[in-house]
Amino acid sequence: GAVVSQHPSWVICKSGTSVKIECRSLDFQATTMFWYRQFPKQSLMLMATSNEGSKATYEQGVEKDKFLINHASLTLSTLTVTSAHPEDSSLYICSARDPASATDTQYFGPGTRLTVL
Amino acid sequence: GENVEQHPSTLSVQEGDSAVIKCTYSDSASNYFPWYKQELGKGPQLIIDIRSNVGEKKDQRIAVTLNKTAKHFSLHITETQPEDSAVYFCAASDRTGFQKLVFGTGTRLLVSP
């Protein structure tokens, strides 16, 4: 099956710093990638939809200036958490849709756990 | 927008028993319903999915049923094994826009030996 990777798998940073998370589709080209946030023992909440070569579409309530998304190629999307604060600590998970798939299947990465001190 | 409800939130069964998780959705335009399994510290893994033109789909010990009229779908796991223990999420998406997924709240399944 299709594989999606994320880097780093975990990161600890100080409050006020910025953190970049990478999401890669390893064996397919993804025109659309999605970024989710998951707090402990909660469901996945969609933050934004990332399209290659265009601006990301953010869900209501998600600050686009705080969560910067760049989808510069068909296999890479990045999420930058700017001026991180402790309340941003969460598991950030990306997914990618394989346009060659006959279904709307989204393949998920393993997640990046962000801890802001 | 779409709203997905999932029950139960926790489910404990004995090894070999069956487990059933149910979800309801609100948007009649939704036409794709995947189920994901998430193990501790890992990302969600697709285990089975169903489209709205199909009422039932089966893959070995896992099956999903869909009732479009009632707008609910269910995951059935037979002959459960301890390695089935995980959190299971249902989701729904529609064909508009980017086919975004809306997730249920998750079911923590515990299979005891």
Side-chain angles (χ1 to χ4, degrees):
Chain A
V3 179
V4 176
S5 70
Q6 285 185 238
H7 178 80
S9 56
W10 59 270
V11 58
I12 301 173
C13 70
K14 293 182 179 180
S15 185
T17 60
S18 296
V19 173
K20 179 184 284 189
I21 302 170
E22 293 184 348
C23 176
R24 293 181 185 274
S25 56
L26 298 185
D27 50 3
F28 66 99
Q29 294 185 326
T31 53
T32 303
M33 290 183 171
F34 303 88
W35 286 97
Y36 296 82
R37 182 165 51 184
Q38 185 179 33
F39 292 108
K41 297 186 177 181
Q42 294 190 22
S43 188
L44 287 80
M45 297 300 296
L46 181 65
M47 298 174 65
T49 303
S50 168
N51 291 286
E52 187 268 337
S54 64
K55 291 183 179 180
T57 303
Y58 291 81
E59 294 300 300
Q60 191 172 8
V62 178
E63 300 175 58
K64 62 180 181 180
D65 294 330
K66 179 171 180 62
F67 299 99
L68 302 178
I69 292 173
N70 187 309
H71 195 153
S73 77
L74 287 172
T75 59
L76 173 64
S77 176
T78 61
L79 167 68
T80 300
V81 183
T82 63
S83 186
H85 291 284
E87 57 264 31
D88 298 322
S89 298
S90 181
L91 182 66
Y92 292 86
I93 306 176
C94 72
S95 71
R97 194 161 56 86
D98 182 357
S101 169
T103 66
D104 298 323
T105 303
Q106 285 188 30
Y107 299 96
F108 283 79
T112 296
R113 183 161 301 282
L114 170 63
T115 301
V116 185
L117 302 177
Chain B
E2 177 65 278
N3 182 52
V4 178
E5 295 187 357
Q6 183 172 347
H7 300 280
S9 56
T10 58
L11 179 59
S12 295
V13 299
Q14 292 291 319
E15 182 177 2
D17 289 348
S18 295
V20 180
I21 303 171
K22 299 181 178 181
C23 288
T24 60
Y25 61 99
S26 61
D27 190 347
S28 58
S30 292
N31 61 0
Y32 174 64
F33 308 92
W35 285 89
Y36 288 89
K37 175 183 181 182
Q38 187 176 28
E39 297 176 320
L40 192 62
K42 298 183 179 180
Q45 179 184 11
L46 180 72
I47 56 172
I48 196 167
D49 55 12
I50 192 168
R51 302 191 66 81
S52 59
N53 59 347
V54 177
E56 183 174 0
K57 184 177 179 181
K58 190 173 182 179
D59 183 3
Q60 298 182 345
R61 297 188 296 111
I62 295 173
V64 56
T65 58
L66 171 65
N67 183 324
K68 287 173 52 181
T69 303
K71 289 190 280 189
H72 67 69
F73 56 112
S74 300
L75 176 71
H76 304 253
I77 305 175
T78 59
E79 301 174 26
T80 55
Q81 302 167 2
E83 50 265 38
D84 294 329
S85 297
V87 179
Y88 292 81
F89 290 98
C90 63
S93 88
D94 60 56
R95 275 213 167 271
T96 60
F98 303 112
Q99 294 89 48
K100 298 186 296 185
L101 289 177
V102 177
F103 282 82
T105 48
T107 296
R108 186 172 299 275
L109 174 64
L110 176 62
V111 182
S112 302

